């Protein structure tokens, strides 16, 4: 029991995820897809947390890694007989490639990590405003390239016929794995060193912490996890377009992180689940659904507006998010003292 | 001071100012009487600048009261406090180095409570600091350290403040320049402007001020008279404690 | 000949981008705010013109400018609490507002563009010394120059201009001297909004359809411009905007279409490089440590 308590920061949210997934399994067909989608989105947000939450530096570009992972996994698993005709300009080795499910996930993670590493080398030197703009630039560039370089990507067309292998098992195990890795990282020496640079850069530097090196490690790891999430994503719906992994997704996942509370793993999970559920409800509402005697039918576009409004309200009135940047607390404490080995997260977003 | 005790122009009582959760100043209080120069000395980190910032409205006190000419000014923004008649010359001068000297001085006019009479105020200040008058159209960044300090003080004075807060005006200046500066400050004192003078050069401060208080770790430690200026032991004790 | 024509078109685009950069620079100067949502002011202008179709042109102009200024004031109010927030929070917040407004536009108007029909006559070309130049190009350059000049004069010759410059240079010191924070920030926002309004007018002539991303597409290169030029100071920022506008115009016309789609990539690669080598911008001399209160 002490083991459970010591690692409650991971186990608590993990239990939540399992319960959520099991509950989703019991629902009807179309909602099942939504639940799986929520879990995949949570992967992305946890990946974001590994960098943004721990380092305190914002990145608008992480969806690039999701994108590259998704495209890598997608192209690698799309049927080889279809690709050359549908995408005549694609590199032959890509067009003829066809690998298995797990392999594609590994590939997605690897490519995500590699891309993040390369991009990160210059980027991690920047902070605050400059980092935000530079990572935004990465997002634009990645999207621009994937959209127009027909040799490596599907361009503006949809990449279809990708095996839909992201069932409940794959998605849940995937999310749990991502969370475990995130937990291991943030409680590791490296994670804690990086967190120190966020709270007091001068002190951290003088105690020998190489800020850029640690940031690069976090950036690469989060890119890897994001790429993996991209792999899960593409196997969820069996197709992918460049627009699906661009500004909308960037905004939504960032909103989830902020609303959940930057700096905590639990915040990433709960923010993702809460907002994704809201997103799903609004999505259904846009297409009309019946709530008992009520019939809800919102005009198209209200979903994103609703999310944006929630995001702005949170930023103005509770910028530290739902969790205030703190991890999930062990629910059973005797004498008031909590002896669980919590990673004391920072105080939300501080000055860079 | 002779005559009946006048009402203090500035009264700080029980001041507490926090950075994050930590109090940088606590239980600190003092009074400044009209026309008086109060010296404020103490080691680095004692809370002297914090105190001045609190008076000027840049930092909001978490406890205590700051009264200027009888009214409480705790919650007011700096621009309002400026218009009430308090001016500040912060540490490091903070002149606008890309603007001309004249533009810098003109900015000081923003702190005036009333329009009109601007020309007189400008003349007054330019006559007190002839160097500034001479370099009116120069870029402020081209001035020497001592001249910049004069500019900073001139800029503060052009709004005719009744209370002047100075934070380490002699920082980084050669002794000869320091002398010139204190001459100018003497003139300012002669015009009846009350001052709170924070100074690193403890001896100078104690000598020049009517009274000097010593601050350490956010609290008031002791009070000194100009006659103590030559007593090195007393000064050292006050600074570092026994 | 073609080259000269392209150059003139590019200069007109540069003029418009310079105005946008100036607006962004004004808001950045007084609040250290990179306003991702500034483009939406341009979109608002375009949609106002759309909604006033059929009215006399001068009514449409006044309405557009008015509505844009109102939205500018709304932004002023909304972003005020962020004045002391970290750059991260600010970026996310303005990004959110931009996102919100774009999707409100989708909600209200749909994603398909609608024809604005504003002063289409200016799209006609006039023959000048063998060159065929559209009226709107000439007007853009003229109005651009006028506004840049007027703003310059305002900033350097008036008291409020002095206050704005002082606030941009050292906000805390300006307040100590008695400069009213609120007045300065609101004036800067209103000024920036007016600039956005004018840009939306000029663009609406040339880009006939009002879409939810009307302004967002302009803000992206303009951001490039102020980062490259130098965010901290108004003149370099404006120059940066002008440079990016001219570059975009020239490259847009001169590049074969296969390469043209990668224009954004090229622009943003430049941004990253500049941020790494000279984070203060290309046109700025020396570093400025700026304090915000």
């Amino acid at each position: 029991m002490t083991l459970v308590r010591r690692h409650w920061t991971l186990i608590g949210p993990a239990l939540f995820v399992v319960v959520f997934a099991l509950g989703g399994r019991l629902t009807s067909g179309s909602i099942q897809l939504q639940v799986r989608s929520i879990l995949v989105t949570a992967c992305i947000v946890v990946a974001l947390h590994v960098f943004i939450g721990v380092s305190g530096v914002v990145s608008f570009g992480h969806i690039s890694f999701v994108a590259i992972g998704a495209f890598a996994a997608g192209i690698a698993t799309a049927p080889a007989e279809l690709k050359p005709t549908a995408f005549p300009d694609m590199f032959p080795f890509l067009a003829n490639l066809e690998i298995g499910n797990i392999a594609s996930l590994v590939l997605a993670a690897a490519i995500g990590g590699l891309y993040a590493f390369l991009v990160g080398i210059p980027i991690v030197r920047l902070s605050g405003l400059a980092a935000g703009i530079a990572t935004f630039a990465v997002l634009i560039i990645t999207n621009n390239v994937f959209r127009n370089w027909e040799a490596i990507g599907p361009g503006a067309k949809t990449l279809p016929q990708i095996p839909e292998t992201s069932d409940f098992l794959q998605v849940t195990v995937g999310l749990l794995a991502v969370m475990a890795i995130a937990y291991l990282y943030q409680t590791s020496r490296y994670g804690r060193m990086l967190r120190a640079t966020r709270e007091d850069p001068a002190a951290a530097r003088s105690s020998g912490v190489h800020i850029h090196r640690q940031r690069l490690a976090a950036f690469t790891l989060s890119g890897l996890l994001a790429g993996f999430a991209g792999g899960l994503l593409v196997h969820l719906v069996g197709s992918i377009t460049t627009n699906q992994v661009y500004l909308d997704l960037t905004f939504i996942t960032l909103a989830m992180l902020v609303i959940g509370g930057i700096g905590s793993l639990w915040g990433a999970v709960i923010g993702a689940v809460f907002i994704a559920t809201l997103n799903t409800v609004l999505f259904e509402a846009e297409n009309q659904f019946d709530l008992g005697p009520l019939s809800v039918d919102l005009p198209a576009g209200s979903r994103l507006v609703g999310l944006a409004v929630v995001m702005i309200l949170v930023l103005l009135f509770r910028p530290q998010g739902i969790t205030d940047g703190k991890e999930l607390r062990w629910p059973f404490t005797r004498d008031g003292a909590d002896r669980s080995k919590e990673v004391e997260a920072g105080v939300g977003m501080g000055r860079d | 001071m002779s005559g009946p005790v006048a009402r203090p122009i500035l009264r700080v009582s029980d001041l507490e100012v926090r950075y994050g959760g930590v109090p940088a100043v606590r239980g600190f209080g003092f009074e400044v009487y009209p026309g008086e120069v109060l010296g404020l000395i103490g080691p680095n980190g004692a809370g002297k600048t914090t105190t001045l910032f609190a008076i000027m409205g840049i930092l909001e006190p978490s406890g205590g009261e700051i009264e200027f000419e009888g009214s409480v000014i705790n919650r007011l923004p700096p621009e309002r406090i400026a218009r009430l008649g308090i001016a500040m010359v912060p540490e490091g001068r903070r002149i606008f180095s890309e603007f001309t000297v004249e533009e810098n001085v003109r900015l000081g006019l923003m702190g005036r409570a009333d329009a009109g009479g601007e020309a007189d105020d400008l003349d007054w200040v330019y006559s007190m600091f002839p160097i500034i008058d001479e370099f009116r159209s120069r870029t402020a960044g081209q001035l020497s350290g001592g001249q910049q300090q004069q500019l900073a003080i001139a800029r503060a004075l052009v709004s005719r403040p009744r209370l002047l807060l100075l934070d380490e005006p002699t920082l980084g200046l050669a002794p000869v320049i320091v002398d010139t500066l204190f001459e100018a400050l003497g003139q300012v004192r002669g015009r009846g402007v009350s001052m709170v003078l924070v100074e690193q050069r403890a001896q100078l401060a104690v000598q020049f001020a009517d009274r000097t208080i010593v601050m350490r770790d956010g609290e008031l430690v002791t009070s000194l008279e100009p006659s103590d200026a030559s007593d090195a032991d007393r000064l050292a004790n006050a600074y570092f404690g026994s | 000949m073609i080259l000269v024509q392209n150059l003139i078109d590019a200069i007109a685009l540069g003029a418009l981008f310079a105005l946008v950069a100036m607006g962004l620079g004004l808001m950045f100067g007084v609040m250290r705010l990179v306003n991702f949502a500034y483009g939406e002011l341009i979109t608002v202008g375009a949609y106002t013109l759309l909604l006033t179709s059929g009215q006399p042109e001068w009514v449409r102009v006044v309405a557009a400018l008015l509505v844009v200024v109102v939205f500018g004031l709304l932004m002023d109010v909304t972003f005020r609490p962020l004045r002391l927030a970290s750059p991260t929070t600010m970026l996310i917040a303005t990004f959110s507002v931009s996102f919100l407004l774009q999707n409100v536009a989708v909600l209200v108007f749909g994603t398909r563009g609608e024809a604005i029909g504003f002063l289409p006559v200016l799209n006609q070309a006039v023959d000048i010394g063998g060159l065929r130049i559209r009226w709107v190009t000439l007007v853009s350059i003229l109005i651009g120059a006028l506004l840049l000049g007027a703003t310059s004069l305002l900033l350097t010759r008036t008291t409020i201009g002095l206050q704005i410059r002082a606030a941009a240079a050292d906000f805390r010191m300006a307040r100590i001297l008695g400069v009213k924070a609120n007045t300065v920030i609101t004036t800067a926002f209103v000024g920036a909004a007016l600039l956005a309004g004018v840009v939306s007018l000029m663009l609406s002539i040339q880009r006939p359809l009002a879409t939810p991303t009307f302004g967002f597409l302009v803000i992206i290169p303009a951001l490039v411009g102020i980062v490259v030029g130098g965010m901290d100071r108004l003149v370099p920022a404006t120059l940066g905007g002008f440079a990016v506008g001219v570059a975009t115009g020239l490259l847009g016309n001169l590049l074969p279409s296969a390469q043209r789609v990668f224009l954004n990539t090229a622009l943003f690669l430049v941004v990253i490089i500049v941020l790494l080598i000279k984070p203060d911008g290309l046109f700025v001399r020396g570093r400025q440590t700026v304090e915000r209160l």
Side-chain angles (χ1 to χ4, degrees):
Chain A
M1 206 52 180
T2 342
L3 196 70
V4 171
R5 183 173 180 159
R6 192 137 45 94
H7 298 291
W8 186 245
T9 301
L10 170 65
I11 296 183
L15 285 175
F16 173 79
V17 165
V18 169
V19 167
F20 185 77
L22 286 174
R25 195 85 168 70
L26 301 172
T27 60
S28 67
S30 72
I31 305 215
Q32 278 197 11
L33 181 63
Q34 306 284 16
V35 174
R36 281 184 283 145
S37 159
I38 292 176
L39 293 171
V40 172
T41 312
C43 282
I44 299 178
V45 182
V46 173
L48 278 182
H49 156 75
V50 166
F51 180 67
I52 301 180
V54 180
S55 75
V57 179
V58 75
S59 164
F60 284 99
H62 267 62
I63 297 303
S64 310
F65 311 133
V66 175
I68 206 174
F71 280 111
I75 291 174
T77 52
E81 59 266 18
L82 289 179
K83 279 183 288 191
T85 26
F87 307 107
D89 296 313
M90 195 178 284
F91 284 133
F93 84 89
L94 286 176
N96 295 322
L97 187 64
E98 192 169 343
I99 63 179
N101 179 41
I102 304 287
S104 76
L105 292 176
V106 171
L107 176 67
I111 289 202
L114 180 64
Y115 189 42
F117 179 72
L118 294 173
V119 164
I121 294 178
I123 300 270
V124 293
R125 296 174 193 286
L126 305 168
S127 294
L129 192 54
I133 296 184
T135 50
F136 188 70
V138 171
L139 180 71
I140 305 253
I141 292 174
T142 309
N143 177 269
N144 199 213
V145 168
F146 267 116
R147 209 181 143 80
N148 295 300
W149 195 13
E150 313 242 326
I152 62 164
K157 294 177 282 197
T158 313
L159 185 65
Q161 298 283 59
I162 301 167
E164 295 179 24
T165 50
S166 282
D167 57 0
F168 264 101
L169 185 65
Q170 174 157 307
V171 164
T172 311
V173 170
L175 176 57
L176 290 173
V178 167
M179 286 166 65
I181 295 177
Y183 175 72
L184 285 172
Y185 173 68
Q186 78 185 38
T187 48
S188 75
R189 217 177 88 224
Y190 307 106
R192 280 183 284 135
M193 279 200 276
L194 186 59
R195 204 182 276 273
T197 69
R198 175 183 163 191
E199 265 130 47
D200 193 340
R205 207 177 276 128
S206 55
S207 22
V209 178
H210 292 268
I211 296 190
H212 297 157
R213 211 180 285 178
Q214 293 307 326
R215 277 191 188 163
L216 186 57
F219 201 76
T220 307
L221 181 62
S222 77
L224 188 143
L225 295 174
F228 176 71
L232 288 177
L233 178 68
V234 85
H235 287 305
L236 187 67
V237 288
S239 69
I240 188 86
T241 63
T242 49
N243 260 353
Q244 287 172 310
V245 280
Y246 192 35
L247 288 165
D248 283 1
L249 189 59
T250 299
F251 175 73
I252 291 180
T253 48
L254 215 51
M256 292 172 177
L257 190 66
V258 169
I259 292 174
I262 291 191
S264 113
L265 177 62
W266 173 231
V269 172
I270 193 68
V273 171
F274 173 55
I275 293 298
T277 308
L278 183 65
N279 190 35
T280 303
V281 167
L282 288 173
F283 182 73
E284 293 295 319
E286 273 183 3
N287 297 320
Q288 183 167 22
F289 72 89
D290 296 304
L291 195 68
L294 293 169
S295 185
V296 187
D297 187 8
L298 293 175
S302 10
R303 175 177 63 101
L304 293 172
V305 170
L307 286 176
V309 169
V310 173
M311 169 75 141
I312 292 172
L313 289 175
V314 167
L315 280 172
L316 287 178
F317 299 115
R318 197 179 158 87
Q320 67 274 38
I322 298 176
T323 61
D324 198 5
K326 301 203 177 70
E327 297 291 353
L328 190 61
R329 298 186 69 87
W330 177 249
F332 319 109
T333 42
R334 274 175 292 143
D335 53 61
D338 194 331
R339 269 169 260 126
S340 69
K341 188 175 142 206
E342 282 177 13
V343 178
E344 249 301 306
V347 279
M349 295 173 275
R351 278 183 176 260
D352 290 335
Chain B
M1 256 188 318
S2 56
V5 176
R7 190 183 65 175
I9 188 174
L10 177 74
R11 173 188 280 138
V12 175
S13 22
D14 220 9
L15 184 68
E16 185 185 87
V17 185
R18 289 174 175 261
Y19 279 119
V22 184
V25 173
R26 57 181 152 217
F28 189 53
F30 60 89
E31 287 163 350
V32 181
Y33 291 89
E36 185 184 29
V37 173
L38 179 75
L40 176 55
I41 63 175
N44 279 336
K48 312 187 295 290
T49 301
T50 308
T51 304
L52 291 191
F53 276 163
I55 298 172
M56 200 63 216
I58 293 176
L59 294 174
E60 199 173 323
S62 48
E65 231 175 40
I66 303 174
E67 276 177 73
F68 178 67
E69 294 185 332
S71 348
V72 175
I73 61 172
N74 283 31
R75 300 226 169 301
L76 297 179
E79 50 260 51
R80 280 263 282 145
I81 294 185
R83 273 154 227 271
L84 287 176
I86 305 182
M88 181 172 183
V89 182
E91 190 183 327
R93 302 180 269 279
R94 307 299 283 262
I95 58 161
F96 297 100
S97 38
E98 314 259 327
F99 297 6
T100 63
V101 165
E102 179 151 26
E103 283 176 322
N104 269 275
V105 176
R106 267 182 61 208
L107 272 170
L109 290 172
M110 302 297 148
R112 305 172 76 250
D114 48 15
E118 284 186 4
D120 289 335
D121 295 337
L122 286 168
D123 285 340
W124 178 63
V125 154
Y126 281 129
S127 66
M128 233 195 311
F129 298 99
I131 301 266
I132 304 303
D133 194 6
E134 196 184 313
F135 291 154
R136 267 202 226 202
S137 40
R138 289 260 193 105
T139 310
Q142 293 174 326
L143 268 55
S144 73
Q147 292 163 343
Q148 287 186 1
Q149 190 62 64
Q150 289 191 38
L151 173 58
I153 299 177
R155 185 180 62 175
L157 287 173
V158 81
S159 59
R160 300 268 201 189
R162 288 182 297 292
L163 173 66
L164 183 63
L165 309 172
L166 295 127
D167 199 349
E168 314 249 3
T170 68
L171 200 63
L173 299 182
V176 170
I177 315 287
V178 170
D179 285 339
T180 319
L181 204 65
F182 267 88
E183 261 180 54
L185 287 180
Q187 276 198 58
V188 174
R189 186 220 295 254
R191 308 273 177 153
V193 179
S194 318
M195 287 188 254
V196 177
L197 174 66
V198 169
E199 244 309 323
Q200 272 287 34
R201 300 177 204 234
Q203 202 170 27
L204 267 178
V206 174
Q207 205 164 20
F208 180 78
D210 296 304
R211 249 187 323 135
T212 301
I213 56 177
V214 186
M215 192 175 191
R216 205 162 63 223
D217 290 328
E219 293 174 333
L220 176 67
V221 175
T222 187
S223 174
L224 298 167
E225 296 292 317
S227 50
D228 295 322
S230 42
D231 188 344
D233 283 334
R234 185 144 160 69
L235 280 184
N237 263 348
Y239 233 77
F240 302 111
S242 39
Chain C
M1 259 326 163
I2 303 283
L3 194 63
V4 177
Q5 248 170 251
N6 281 334
L7 187 62
I8 296 182
D9 277 329
I11 291 179
L13 197 63
L16 291 180
F17 274 67
L19 291 179
V20 175
M22 189 170 248
L24 282 171
L26 273 173
M27 288 180 297
F28 185 76
V30 294
M31 266 187 75
R32 288 300 172 273
L33 180 81
V34 178
N35 193 355
F36 266 110
Y38 187 59
E40 270 55 61
L41 287 179
I42 299 176
T43 310
V44 162
Y47 275 116
T48 309
L49 284 176
L50 178 71
L51 291 175
T52 52
S53 290
Q55 305 291 334
E57 302 294 34
W58 71 267
V59 169
R60 299 174 81 187
V61 167
V62 170
L65 290 177
L66 217 63
V67 172
V68 169
V69 168
V70 166
F71 269 80
L73 288 169
L74 284 174
M75 278 192 193
D76 177 15
V77 167
T78 312
F79 293 142
R80 215 48 104 75
L82 295 172
R83 196 161 62 78
L84 297 173
S86 68
T88 303
T89 312
M90 272 196 184
L91 279 174
I92 298 183
T94 60
F95 186 57
S96 308
V97 171
S98 167
F99 195 76
L100 170 71
L101 291 176
Q102 282 183 54
N103 283 289
V104 166
V106 168
L107 189 62
V108 176
F109 297 104
T111 45
R112 227 177 285 230
E114 291 190 49
I116 307 173
F118 176 64
L119 291 179
V121 58
L122 291 183
N123 273 316
Q124 287 167 17
V126 66
D127 211 305
I128 299 187
L131 298 167
R132 289 195 65 73
I133 304 178
R134 290 179 301 158
W135 277 110
V136 62
T137 307
L138 292 172
V139 171
S140 296
I141 298 180
L142 190 65
I143 292 197
L146 272 173
L147 278 177
L148 288 171
T151 312
S152 234
L153 279 176
L154 221 81
L155 286 174
T156 49
R157 299 286 169 97
T158 64
T159 307
I160 185 68
L162 181 63
Q163 291 185 55
I164 290 178
R165 281 190 296 136
D170 190 343
F171 204 77
R172 172 184 283 184
M173 192 62 225
R175 293 187 83 186
I176 292 176
L177 290 171
V179 170
K180 289 189 185 159
N182 285 346
T183 311
V184 158
I185 294 179
T186 303
T187 309
F189 265 73
V190 167
L194 279 173
L195 289 171
V198 170
V199 171
S200 78
L201 291 177
M202 296 292 108
L203 284 178
S204 297
I205 298 173
Q206 324 178 45
R207 286 160 56 182
L209 294 177
T211 62
T213 51
F214 193 84
F216 187 69
L217 296 172
V218 176
I219 216 70
I220 300 283
L223 273 174
V224 171
I226 67 169
V227 169
V228 164
M231 279 184 293
D232 237 359
R233 312 260 298 288
L234 204 53
V235 171
T238 311
L239 277 176
F242 182 72
V244 169
V246 172
T248 306
L250 281 178
L251 291 173
N253 279 325
L254 295 179
L255 284 179
S257 60
Q259 268 67 18
R260 199 182 309 164
V261 287
F262 292 111
L263 191 57
N264 271 349
T265 298
L267 281 177
F268 278 94
L269 276 175
V270 172
V271 169
I272 295 181
I273 294 174
V274 169
L275 280 174
L276 288 171
I277 308 179
K278 234 183 168 259
D280 290 325
L282 292 175
F283 299 125
V284 176
R285 289 166 302 171
R287 280 214 91 130
Q288 249 199 339
T289 349
V290 195
E291 269 263 6
R292 285 188 303 148
L293 172 59

